[in-house]
């Protein structure tokens, strides 16, 4: 159990040049939210009472996002290395005497259970604890030099000897120590190395030189993947999606082709929901127990209540609220609209800024004309109303309970309960017209 107060310093001031992006690296998203927010969330999950986001001169958005998420922020200008980055958080942490952990803003897959192990190592008596891992390819990661079960030092790849480069156990970047000790050791770090940077990793050797105990905790390589390029970003996304889909399936969601379903960080799906192939969730979706989402549907910022049936090929946009047992069929788009229990829009419709009463039926081709080029207007469709195919409902407009609108109508005036609205030209039949027309045309053809 937690014996010392905890703090987290999240490093996100690096340039991230390999992303080749106008956007700071840690703003790029995994699971529909910026990588930085994953790290902040992780810090909260392990009980950090103080969190500092370290950002750079070129990435004010990172500072703003840290603030928006309730963290303290520290500007590191210019960025002179990971050790220097942690030092720049010192003022923001003044007065904090507990254990601090350093996290990166570009490592979105680390779990709370793993970070817990690092803090536990401190609570069990280590002065510095580092999260290491053994990847298939140790690449250019810092090498963890372990002697007699203790971490002796960390050597950056560029500074490592051939022998040290052969070590397969490497540094994830996550490092924890009591905050006062961490800042004290950082005060002794120099930039005398291949990169001319102040390395955070040097605190391990400095602690050892004082006779303090340092340890490396081993984590799962898939979790500590650091994103440096768009290729890494795609890998992190795929890995997170796999993990989250597995959790959802374990919680009772059926997915017929899980590898084709994409969820967001906050997607809530109840048990006994069926997700067919190629269903994509943007942020802010809740699907209640027993709903069925057919193939190729896209949902974002919406609620689907129990037993509702969506798709195939449906689009639910922000503010859609689909009632119990309601049906939204193929090529139907719904935005900022509420569907009551058992209401249906089975084919080819656009319903925006509307309320649809329970058991109402909306025919194919119905469009709510909700926008006049300046403002959005509401359409109200009463319980049990029947909207004829190809109706244009020109908002603001109300259709009463149990009312009908004739097919192909343009409905501009409110319709009383139980009335029939005919908003189309009256049909005229011209007897024998077609036969006369054909005869005239054939005569002209034979004369030419
Ligand atoms: C660092 C570690 C290395 C480890 C690797 C894991 C050091 C010296 N090296 O190397 O041992 O294997 O991470 O991914 O710590 N940052 C700042 N300010 C800076 C420099 C970096 O905020 O001045 C931030 C970056 O935004 C990033 C993180 O620190 O979030 C890591 O920086 P990066 O330059 O990617 O470190 P690596 O060279 O990968
Ligand atoms: Ca890195």
């Amino acid at each position: 159990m937690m014996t010392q107060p905890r703090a987290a310093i999240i490093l996100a001031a690096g340039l991230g040049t390999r992303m080749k992006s106008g956007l700071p690296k840690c703003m790029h998203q995994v699971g529909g939210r910026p990588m930085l927010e994953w790290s902040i969330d992780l810090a909260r999950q392990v009980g950090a009472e103080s969190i500092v986001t370290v950002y750079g001169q070129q990435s004010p958005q990172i500072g703003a996002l840290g603030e928006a998420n309730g963290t303290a922020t520290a500007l590191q200008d210019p960025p002179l290395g990971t050790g220097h980055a942690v030092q720049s958080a010192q003022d923001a942490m003044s007065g904090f005497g507990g254990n601090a952990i350093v996290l990166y803003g570009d490592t979105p897959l680390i779990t709370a259970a793993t970070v817990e192990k690092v803090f536990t190592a401190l609570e069990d008596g280590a002065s510095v604890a580092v999260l290491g891992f053994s990847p298939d390819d140790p690449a250019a990661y810092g090498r963890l030099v372990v002697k007699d079960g203790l971490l002796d030092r960390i050597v950056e790849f560029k500074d490592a000897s051939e022998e040290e480069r052969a070590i397969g156990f490497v540094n994830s970047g996550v490092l924890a120590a009591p905050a006062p000790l961490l800042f004290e050791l950082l005060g002794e770090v120099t930039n005398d190395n291949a990169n001319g940077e102040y390395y955070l990793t040097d605190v391990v050797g400095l602690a050892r030189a004082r006779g303090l105990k340092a340890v490396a905790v081993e984590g799962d390589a898939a979790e500590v993947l650091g994103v440096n390029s768009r290729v890494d970003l795609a890998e992190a996304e795929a890995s997170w999606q796999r993990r989250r889909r597995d959790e959802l399936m374990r919680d009772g969601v059926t997915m017929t082709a899980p590898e084709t379903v994409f969820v967001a960080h906050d997607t809530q799906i109840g048990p006994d929901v069926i997700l067919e192939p190629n269903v994509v969730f943007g942020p802010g979706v809740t699907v209640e127990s027993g709903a069925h989402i057919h193939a190729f549907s896209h949902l974002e910022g919406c609620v689907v209540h129990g037993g509702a049936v969506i798709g195939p090929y449906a689009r639910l946009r922000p503010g859609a609220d689909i009632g119990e047992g309601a049906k939204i069929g193929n090529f139907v788009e719904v935005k900022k609209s509420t569907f009551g229990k058992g209401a249906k829009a089975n084919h080819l419709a656009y319903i925006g800024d509307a309320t649809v009463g329970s058991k109402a039926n909306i025919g194919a081709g119905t469009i709510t004309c909700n926008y006049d080029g300046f403002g959005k207007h509401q359409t109200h469709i009463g319980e049990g109303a029947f909207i004829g195919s190809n109706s244009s409902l020109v908002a603001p407009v109300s259709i009463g309970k149990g009312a009908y609108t004739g097919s192909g109508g343009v409905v501009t005036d409110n319709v009383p309960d139980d009335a029939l609205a005919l908003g189309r030209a009256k049909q005229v039949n011209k007897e024998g017209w077609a036969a006369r027309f054909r005869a005239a045309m054939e005569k002209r053809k034979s004369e030419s």
Side-chain angles (χ1 to χ4, degrees):
M1 288 295 99
M2 216 196 297
T3 57
Q4 285 283 327
R6 293 174 176 182
I9 300 165
I10 301 173
L11 306 191
L15 295 177
T17 45
R18 280 170 286 173
M19 293 297 282
K20 310 230 165 87
S21 177
L23 196 65
K25 178 165 72 175
C26 303
M27 297 293 291
H28 284 264
Q29 299 193 341
V30 168
R33 79 168 159 183
M35 290 194 282
L36 177 66
E37 287 188 3
W38 285 102
S39 304
I40 294 172
D41 194 44
L42 176 63
R44 293 238 156 81
Q45 282 180 54
V46 295
E49 63 182 45
S50 154
I51 304 173
V52 185
T53 301
V54 179
Y55 68 103
Q57 184 67 50
Q58 266 128 314
S59 56
Q61 301 101 307
I62 293 287
L65 189 63
E67 239 165 72
N69 280 274
T71 78
T73 57
L75 173 66
Q76 185 201 14
D77 182 36
L80 300 176
T82 50
H84 177 251
V86 173
Q87 269 182 311
S88 50
Q90 189 163 4
D91 283 349
M93 300 251 310
S94 71
F96 178 80
N99 290 333
I101 196 159
V102 177
L103 303 172
Y104 290 172
D106 63 358
T107 314
L109 303 176
I110 301 182
T111 61
T114 297
V115 171
E116 195 59 47
K117 284 201 278 181
V118 181
F119 274 121
T120 303
L122 292 188
E123 287 155 8
D124 289 349
S127 292
V128 179
V130 169
L131 178 64
F133 66 110
S134 305
D136 292 339
D137 174 13
Y141 286 107
R143 300 314 202 241
L144 299 182
V145 182
V146 177
K147 278 188 190 154
D148 304 324
L150 294 179
L151 182 60
D152 200 52
R153 56 197 192 100
I154 305 179
V155 196
E156 287 307 294
F157 180 78
K158 279 193 187 167
D159 303 294
S161 65
E162 276 309 304
E163 201 184 327
E164 288 164 336
R165 287 183 179 184
I167 298 173
F169 190 33
V170 302
N171 177 24
S172 69
V174 174
L175 179 148
L181 174 68
L182 179 63
F183 291 120
E184 207 181 298
L185 294 173
L186 282 170
E188 295 173 20
V189 169
T190 69
N191 64 352
D192 182 17
N193 53 52
N195 276 334
E197 287 182 5
Y198 296 87
Y199 291 162
L200 170 63
T201 45
D202 282 356
V203 302
V204 172
L206 292 166
R208 295 290 292 137
R210 293 180 176 207
L212 297 172
K213 183 174 158 189
V215 297
V217 170
E218 178 141 16
D220 175 7
E223 274 188 33
V224 296
L225 170 82
V227 172
N228 291 313
S229 68
R230 310 249 184 178
V231 174
D232 296 338
L233 184 69
E235 214 174 288
E237 180 72 39
S239 170
W240 181 78
Q241 289 287 345
R242 219 176 296 120
R243 186 201 284 178
R244 185 68 189 124
R245 287 187 298 240
D246 288 356
E247 284 171 2
L248 287 165
M249 288 188 282
R250 276 195 291 270
D251 288 345
V253 176
T254 293
M255 298 189 198
T256 43
E259 64 289 355
T260 67
V261 170
F262 292 87
V263 294
H265 65 101
D266 59 353
T267 306
Q268 302 283 337
I269 308 181
D272 284 326
V273 165
I274 297 175
L275 301 180
E276 289 187 5
N278 295 293
V279 171
V280 176
F281 293 92
V285 178
T286 299
V287 180
E288 288 180 359
S289 184
H292 188 142
I293 317 290
H294 288 284
F296 296 100
S297 294
H298 188 281
L299 296 83
E300 187 182 1
C302 63
V303 181
V304 176
H305 294 278
V309 179
I310 309 297
Y313 296 97
R315 180 169 184 209
L316 300 185
R317 290 173 51 202
D321 186 306
I322 311 303
E324 250 172 67
K327 285 190 175 171
I328 304 297
N330 46 278
F331 306 106
V332 174
E333 173 180 346
V334 180
K335 186 215 74 166
K336 262 197 196 164
S337 296
T338 303
F339 274 67
K341 280 188 190 174
K344 291 179 187 167
N346 275 335
H347 345 257
L348 299 159
Y350 170 61
I351 306 299
D353 303 296
T355 57
V356 179
S358 57
K359 297 253 169 69
N361 187 91
I362 295 177
T366 295
I367 303 287
T368 51
C369 309
N370 58 329
Y371 185 52
D372 57 16
F374 295 92
K376 298 284 166 65
H377 304 283
Q378 295 286 320
T379 299
H380 299 290
I381 298 174
E383 277 172 33
F386 186 99
I387 308 300
S389 296
N390 234 27
S391 291
S392 300
L393 308 177
V394 182
V397 70
S398 290
I399 318 293
K401 285 185 195 167
Y404 271 64
T405 72
S407 298
V410 177
V411 180
T412 53
D413 295 331
N414 292 346
V415 181
D417 291 355
D418 295 319
L420 166 67
L422 291 176
R424 63 189 187 218
K426 199 165 163 54
Q427 182 169 328
V428 178
N429 288 340
K430 296 189 174 180
E431 291 290 337
W433 182 93
R436 287 195 299 279
F437 174 74
R438 271 193 300 273
M441 287 298 131
E442 269 153 26
K443 182 159 178 260
R444 188 188 292 179
K445 208 166 158 190
S446 66
E447 284 169 1
S448 65

